[in-house]
Amino acid sequence: MRRQVVAPPSGRLSTFRVRIPAPRRPVETREPAPAPRRIVRTGLTITGAAFAAVFFCLSFTPSLLPRAWFLQGVVAGITAATGYALGTTIGALVRVRARFSERTVRIAWRVLLALVPLLFLFFLWLGTRWQRELRGRLGMPPTQEYDVAKTLGAGLLTFALILLVARTLRLATHGCALVFRQVVPHRAAYCAGTVVVALLSYSAIDGLLMAQLFTMADRSAAVVNNGTSNGVVMPTSALRSGGSRSLVSWDSLGRQGRAFVASAPTLPELTAFAGRPAVEPIRVYAGLTSADTVEERAALAVREMDRTGAFDRAVIAIITPTGTGWVDNRVTQSLEYMYAGDSALVSMQYSYLPSWISFWGDRSEVVAGASALIGAVRERWAAMPAATRPQLLIFGESLGTYGIEKTFGSAEAMAGGADGVLLLGPTFANPLHRELTRAREAGSPVWDPVYPSLPIEFAENATSLRAFSAEKPKVVYLQNATDPVVWWSWDLFWKKPKWLTGARGPDVTPDMHWYPGITFWQTSCDLLFANKAPTGHGHVYKSETVDGWAAIAPPPGWTVLDTIRLRAVLEN
């Protein structure tokens, strides 16, 4: 500052300050600092994306049965979502202990984005080859080349939908946490929000979705049960339930019962196959509305058997049906052809729901139905003189095998409870089947166990039963090596199964390997289409029943050539 003296008009001298700006320094020009490079925000975590890619690829590995393109796509999408959840969890735990730089994460993303397309292409090619090979083993037509693209699209869409649902639930959790933060600390608020969203989700799925699905399934099954299949007409024969002079009304039989009594082979068909005069076979059935209780229905069936003269036939077969009351017509016709109609078949409905609902919902119904019918018929049969009474056979398929095993309670009782017991496709929940498999002779494979102390035989395919001639088994389990209903189990999630260790069963591809969680999920999906496989594979037995009957109760003079000839008749 400089001082300047100015003479004011008053003549007095005064001093004041004048601000003179200082000279400006030249402004240095600098280059702008480059903006930091940012990672492209995909909304995915690097560990989650990596695990999702690996799980997606592993979902294409083969299982017991081939999969259609849409099922493979859904399996791949759900498997990838499972991998993403696992990877995200692991990534969160790792980040707590270690901090990675932005550059490290960016490099990891670049590597992943470069490898994933190559992995996808490689496993899509491998998956196509595996599916073709598996379909060839089962005698199924190969898949189309363009199915690969549809599978990939279905897989990515499934993954995106699951991720969208998960993000929606996470957003709802954050919303609840913001509300709870007004009254509780931050961490407690998020815990409370998680609990609230989890409970609401469970209530929505269990209380609304599942309840409605079961209600709809029940109503639909009830409507179906009241109907009649195309081509089924009321029998005029007095030897059929629902027919002339029958104690059981036609309307009370239900859809499957009406099909059962109306689908027996004709006299000309039986005579032509046997090469000698045949007799008209007897078929007895009691539906859900034929009597009020399961015991009354069983007693009604026995009275119906007495009315038709069933106990005068050469052979009687008690058949435990599946959940809807369905009995495979090839099972019934095979025995009738073998004995030229000199047979009596009896069955009883215990539910009109599909087997999978009956199995997961309430298995007590099949046990009650099997116990009541087997007990009532055996009591009447045992009262006859041993020299004149007919052969007593018991048959069960799928859920029916569970009811039979629970009825007898032990392998010894089952082997001594009838002249022959034929069980097709036993479920993984069957107690006696599990016990016999665990106690098998050392060295015998789990898919073909040997149990020499009792007349019980296991067969992984029907043709292996043709070796028995001198000494017939009393109980035969026929279980396809590719039947997931037989081989599924909960511990498949964390434990390698015996049927994938050592020698494989017939038609089980050597390319199938066990992966924790993934093999469990793939085998679970095989359950959905186990009934769509060709005969002798999956959960489809059909004409293989002929070999089963021939093993435990062949008529006099029956030969292997007769078995082959009858199977050809039933397969047409």
Side-chain angles (χ1 to χ4, degrees), residues 71 76 106 110-112 126 131 152-153 157 160 211 215 267 280 289 303 309 312 315 318 323 325 386 450 454 511 553:
L71 178 61
R106 185 168 61 248
R110 287 178 177 176
V111 172
L112 184 64
L126 275 180
Q131 290 296 313
L152 180 61
L157 178 61
T215 300
L267 273 176
E280 186 178 359
T289 59
R303 293 199 303 273
D312 297 326
V315 61
I318 306 172
V450 175
L454 287 173
D511 294 319

Side-chain angles (χ1 to χ4, degrees), residues 3 29 60 141 170 177 227 277 360 401 445 453 480 503 542 571:
R3 295 176 181 237
T29 58
F60 286 89
R170 189 176 71 176
W360 294 109
T401 66
S453 61
N480 293 331
K542 295 184 178 179
E571 288 172 356

Side-chain angles (χ1 to χ4, degrees), residues 105 110 214 336 379:
V105 176
R110 287 178 177 176
F214 275 100
E336 291 165 333
E379 182 180 4

Side-chain angles (χ1 to χ4, degrees), residues 1-5 15-20:
M1 293 290 184
R2 291 183 302 171
R3 295 176 181 237
Q4 183 177 8
V5 179
T15 303
F16 60 93
R17 297 177 181 274
V18 177
R19 185 179 299 274
I20 300 176

Side-chain angles (χ1 to χ4, degrees), residues 43-288:
L44 303 177
T45 65
I46 180 64
T47 51
F51 273 77
V54 172
F55 275 51
F56 185 87
C57 293
L58 290 179
S59 70
F60 286 89
T61 56
S63 56
L64 290 173
L65 297 173
R67 295 186 286 269
W69 67 266
F70 60 90
L71 178 61
Q72 177 60 63
V74 173
V75 169
I78 296 177
T79 307
T82 304
Y84 180 78
L86 177 62
T88 301
T89 303
I90 293 176
L93 295 175
V94 170
R95 282 194 299 272
V96 171
R97 297 179 175 273
R99 296 291 181 180
F100 297 100
S101 66
E102 191 172 301
R103 181 173 179 272
T104 302
V105 176
R106 185 168 61 248
I107 293 174
W109 270 112
R110 287 178 177 176
V111 172
L112 184 64
L113 293 175
L115 291 179
V116 164
L118 298 178
L119 282 174
F120 278 14
L121 290 175
F122 179 66
F123 273 89
L124 284 170
W125 171 77
L126 275 180
T128 302
R129 193 190 73 174
W130 285 328
Q131 290 296 313
R132 284 181 176 272
E133 189 268 342
L134 190 55
R135 295 175 76 88
R137 282 176 173 269
L138 273 60
M140 301 173 66
T143 56
Q144 301 295 327
E145 298 291 346
Y146 54 79
D147 286 346
V148 176
K150 294 191 291 185
T151 298
L152 180 61
L156 296 177
L157 178 61
T158 302
F159 175 76
L161 290 176
I162 295 175
L163 191 63
L164 177 62
V165 172
R167 293 294 170 84
T168 302
L169 293 177
R170 189 176 71 176
L171 184 62
T173 301
H174 283 299
C176 292
L178 291 177
V179 175
F180 287 122
R181 284 179 62 182
Q182 307 299 320
V183 292
V184 295
H186 176 78
R187 291 186 177 180
Y190 271 93
C191 290
T194 302
V195 171
V196 168
V197 172
L199 291 176
L200 291 176
S201 301
Y202 175 80
S203 300
I205 294 175
D206 183 66
L208 298 178
L209 180 61
M210 297 304 298
Q212 290 299 319
L213 286 177
F214 275 100
T215 300
M216 292 173 58
D218 182 77
R219 292 176 180 174
S220 176
V223 171
V224 171
N225 185 64
N226 292 329
T228 303
S229 302
N230 294 332
V232 174
V233 296
M234 181 178 175
T236 57
S237 172
L239 300 180
R240 311 287 169 79
S241 293
S244 174
R245 299 193 300 274
S246 174
L247 301 177
V248 184
S249 68
W250 172 253
D251 292 337
S252 71
L253 292 176
R255 184 187 189 93
Q256 301 301 342
R258 288 190 280 271
F260 174 80
V261 300
S263 57
T266 64
L267 273 176
E269 291 172 334
L270 293 172
T271 300
F273 179 83
R276 56 186 173 86
V279 296
E280 186 178 359
I282 296 173
R283 292 197 180 190
V284 172
Y285 194 93
L288 276 177

Side-chain angles (χ1 to χ4, degrees), residues 231-531:
V232 174
V233 296
M234 181 178 175
T236 57
S237 172
L239 300 180
R240 311 287 169 79
S241 293
S244 174
R245 299 193 300 274
S246 174
L247 301 177
V248 184
S249 68
W250 172 253
D251 292 337
S252 71
L253 292 176
R255 184 187 189 93
Q256 301 301 342
R258 288 190 280 271
F260 174 80
V261 300
S263 57
T266 64
L267 273 176
E269 291 172 334
L270 293 172
T271 300
F273 179 83
R276 56 186 173 86
V279 296
E280 186 178 359
I282 296 173
R283 292 197 180 190
V284 172
Y285 194 93
L288 276 177
T289 59
S290 298
D292 293 334
T293 66
V294 64
E295 291 79 12
E296 292 175 350
R297 290 197 296 271
L300 176 62
V302 172
R303 293 199 303 273
E304 184 80 344
M305 293 176 71
D306 281 324
R307 182 192 66 81
T308 58
F311 292 97
D312 297 326
R313 292 301 175 97
V315 61
I316 291 175
I318 306 172
I319 299 174
T320 304
T322 61
T324 59
W326 175 79
V327 178
D328 192 338
N329 201 38
R330 292 176 179 84
V331 172
T332 53
Q333 288 193 357
S334 59
L335 196 62
E336 291 165 333
Y337 271 108
M338 290 176 71
Y339 282 86
D342 193 12
S343 60
L345 311 180
V346 57
S347 186
M348 187 176 76
Q349 186 180 17
Y350 55 85
S351 173
Y352 54 71
L353 292 172
S355 289
W356 68 270
I357 297 181
S358 298
F359 181 85
W360 294 109
D362 186 7
R363 279 172 253 173
S364 63
E365 291 182 346
V366 63
V367 176
S371 299
L373 184 60
I374 293 174
V377 175
R378 284 188 75 250
E379 182 180 4
R380 171 67 175 81
W381 170 81
M384 299 176 64
T388 59
R389 65 191 183 194
Q391 288 190 85
L392 180 62
L393 306 179
I394 298 176
F395 173 84
E397 182 173 0
S398 190
L399 184 59
T401 66
Y402 179 86
I404 293 172
E405 286 193 0
K406 296 291 284 187
T407 295
F408 287 104
S410 69
E412 292 78 9
M414 185 166 61
D419 294 307
V421 180
L422 179 58
L423 305 174
L424 270 58
T427 74
F428 54 85
N430 284 26
L432 299 186
H433 179 267
R434 291 201 311 266
E435 178 184 335
L436 291 170
T437 302
R438 282 196 299 264
R440 67 186 183 279
E441 190 175 68
S444 60
V446 67
W447 43 268
D448 188 17
V450 175
Y451 199 82
S453 61
L454 287 173
I456 297 177
E457 181 64 30
F458 291 82
E460 79 286 353
N461 60 63
T463 57
S464 64
L465 293 171
R466 299 174 186 175
F468 303 106
S469 55
E471 194 171 328
K472 301 187 299 293
K474 296 289 292 294
V475 178
V476 166
Y477 281 96
L478 186 56
Q479 49 189 25
N480 293 331
T482 54
D483 188 352
V485 176
V486 178
W487 308 117
W488 188 93
S489 62
W490 288 108
D491 60 2
L492 190 60
F493 192 94
W494 64 85
K495 182 181 178 182
K496 185 177 182 179
K498 297 291 185 181
W499 47 271
L500 283 179
T501 303
R504 304 285 179 93
D507 298 327
V508 178
T509 173
D511 294 319
M512 182 179 182
H513 301 286
W514 178 77
Y515 302 98
I518 294 177
T519 303
F520 170 86
W521 167 238
Q522 289 179 319
T523 309
S524 300
C525 292
D526 287 339
L527 293 171
L528 300 176
F529 293 88
N531 289 320

